[in-house]
Amino acid sequence: MDVRELYQEVIVDHGTRPRHVGRCDSPTASCDGHNPLCGDQLTLTARVVDGRLEDLQFTGSGCAISMASASLMAEALQGKTEAEALALFERFHAAVAEGDEPDPSLGKLAVLVGVRAYPMRVKCATLAWHTLKSLLAQESEVACTA
Ligand code: ZN
């Protein structure tokens, strides 16, 4: 299977059957994100205990890339520490938005690097991550807008 087929398959899979959709039990933080260029919007809720993401869920609507990216991110970050999540954000952003070679630690997230060929879609792929970064910057449950 070539990279483009894998890209299609993962985007379609996560875009049509997103994982970790809903709200966390006892969330400690939430954040709304909005991409006006495409109309994507999502709400993240997280339960962060001792600096670790015990749970991360999202609700929202938008194009397949934004939903697939949120789903892949939520899957990748379950149980990760905030520091690990931010480090992964930096590597993801570098690959998708800045054109760096994808780091092996990105795993399945690397399929989204394909959006680099479509500059309008980069914000779709990074919306969930920018929203997460805003969420982690909060200290208590206060909604914010990415
Ligand atoms: Zn979009």
Side-chain angles (χ1 to χ4, degrees):
M1 187 183 292
D2 74 18
V3 173
R4 191 180 290 169
E5 284 173 30
L6 181 66
Y7 166 76
Q8 282 292 343
E9 184 163 303
V10 173
I11 301 287
V12 169
D13 179 28
H14 279 263
T16 55
R17 294 189 304 115
R19 320 303 199 265
H20 306 291
V21 172
R23 283 183 64 85
C24 295
D25 291 332
S26 311
T28 58
S30 71
C31 193
D32 296 324
H34 182 221
N35 171 18
L37 285 177
C38 181
D40 311 314
Q41 65 86 28
L42 56 84
T43 299
L44 293 180
T45 57
R47 188 170 66 255
V48 183
V49 177
D50 295 334
R52 188 174 292 276
L53 282 159
E54 286 194 344
D55 196 10
L56 176 64
Q57 306 268 336
F58 78 99
T59 58
S61 60
C63 66
I65 290 171
S66 66
M67 294 295 105
S69 179
S71 173
L72 285 160
M73 180 187 81
E75 188 175 73
L77 296 184
Q78 298 293 319
K80 291 280 194 293
T81 65
E82 293 186 53
E84 287 168 339
L86 290 171
L88 204 54
F89 170 89
E90 295 302 331
R91 293 195 287 268
F92 179 76
H93 195 268
V96 170
E98 292 158 29
D100 289 5
E101 272 303 301
D103 189 271
S105 66
L106 290 175
K108 226 191 286 180
L109 295 167
V111 298
L112 287 162
V113 171
V115 304
R116 276 198 313 227
Y118 313 96
M120 292 290 290
R121 308 324 288 275
V122 169
K123 279 192 185 297
C124 302
T126 57
L127 173 65
W129 289 88
H130 284 296
T131 307
L132 177 86
K133 203 174 181 186
S134 297
L135 179 149
L136 291 177
Q138 299 167 186
E139 293 187 336
S140 59
E141 188 178 5
V142 181
C144 66
T145 303

